[in-house]
Structures are given as structure tokens and as C-alpha cells.
Amino acid sequence: MSITNTDAGIDRVDVRGPRFAAWVTTAVLLTALIVSAVSPQAAAIILALQAVIFAIGAVGGPRRHPYGKVFATLVAPRLEPVKEREPVPPLKFAQLVGFVFAVAAVAGFGFDVPLAGVIATAFALVAAFLNAAFGICLGCQLYPLVARFRRVPAERPHIK
């Protein structure tokens, strides 16, 4: 994914990259759900691999995200120039949310609670599909609320 630095100091990425990654993620999660009907253990392995992908995206951002690298290498050169960009921090947060759901799904399948695995996978699948098909990133929508709680309050003046 093509990253640039804005005047505000926030990295931005071509919006098509995260949507491409969301399509791949949708396919992986749908595959995991289908496989879970036959083998919860196989579904857990697929989801564990996807959890690693989410973790890379959450920590490294779009530059290091494996699906983002595929987009940047194979897809982006064939597209018209970038017209729209979005900030990187919400994308990293969305990957963290995906990671949490993937880990919950792995735990569900791994601890023989397949319904929990299916539900966690389904939540992640809905989020990935909304992003892929409609450009609605649920994690990105939650990011401003979470970022607001993370801010350190301004230091108050000392009263004597």
C-alpha cells in the first residue's frame, strides 16, 4: 500500500489497499466458517494464521501487512493513481479488533466450544465484508472513541 506523510504528521494510505485486504480476509474467514462444520481444529488453524496476519497489521500497519504487500506489489501498479487516502492509525486499530476476534475464535474451537468459535468468526466476517463491499470499517469507526479515552489529560496548574 502506498503510504504518504501528511502535513499533520499522520501517515495515510490508499483506501483501495485496506479494501483489498478486507476482501482477502473475508475469503479466509468464510473458509474458516465452512471448514469448522467439518473440522473445528482445522478452522482453528486457519484462524490462528489469520490472527497472525491481524497482529502484523495491528503492530506494523499497512506497510508490513501481508495482504497490503500483495496489493502494493501486484494490484496497485495496475490501477489508476491514488485519489483518496485514509489515516493509518484507525486501520491499525481495526486490525487489533480483528486480532481479538480471531483469537476468541481460535480459543472457542481449541477449547471445544465451537459455537463461541463460530460466533467470533462470524463477527469478524461481517466486519471484513462491510469494509470490503461497502467501505465501512467498523474498527475505524470505533477508533475515535477509543482514542479519546487514551489521551492523557492536560496537566493542571498547581494551586497553592
Side-chain angles (χ1 to χ4, degrees), residues 6 8-9 12 21 86 90 94 100 141:
T6 66
R12 294 187 172 270
E86 61 187 327
V100 169
Q141 299 298 318

Side-chain angles (χ1 to χ4, degrees), residues 4-159:
T4 61
N5 202 340
T6 66
D7 294 338
I10 297 174
D11 284 339
R12 294 187 172 270
V13 64
D14 178 350
V15 297
R16 300 170 296 183
R19 287 188 76 178
F20 172 83
W23 276 118
V24 176
T25 302
T26 296
V28 171
L29 296 172
L30 185 58
T31 300
L33 275 180
I34 293 167
V35 167
S36 73
V38 178
S39 173
Q41 294 79 17
I45 292 168
I46 293 167
L47 290 163
L49 294 172
Q50 181 60 48
V52 170
I53 300 293
F54 281 137
I56 293 168
V59 174
R63 289 180 227 230
R64 291 196 169 59
H65 193 285
Y67 303 156
K69 286 184 176 187
V70 171
F71 175 80
T73 304
L74 302 176
V75 179
R78 292 170 174 74
L79 300 175
E80 60 188 50
V82 178
K83 291 181 182 172
E84 187 179 352
R85 297 182 186 275
E86 61 187 327
V88 170
L91 296 171
K92 290 174 74 173
F93 178 75
Q95 291 292 301
L96 177 62
V97 172
F99 172 76
V100 169
F101 278 105
V103 168
V106 170
F109 289 125
F111 290 115
D112 201 26
V113 186
L115 181 60
V118 167
I119 290 171
T121 305
F123 274 122
L125 175 60
V126 167
F129 180 74
L130 284 173
N131 191 4
F134 305 108
I136 300 169
C137 174
L138 295 179
C140 298
Q141 299 298 318
L142 290 173
Y143 177 77
L145 178 65
V146 173
R148 180 200 255 157
F149 288 118
R150 288 186 43 198
R151 296 221 167 103
V152 178
E155 189 176 311
R156 294 183 181 189
H158 296 294
I159 301 175

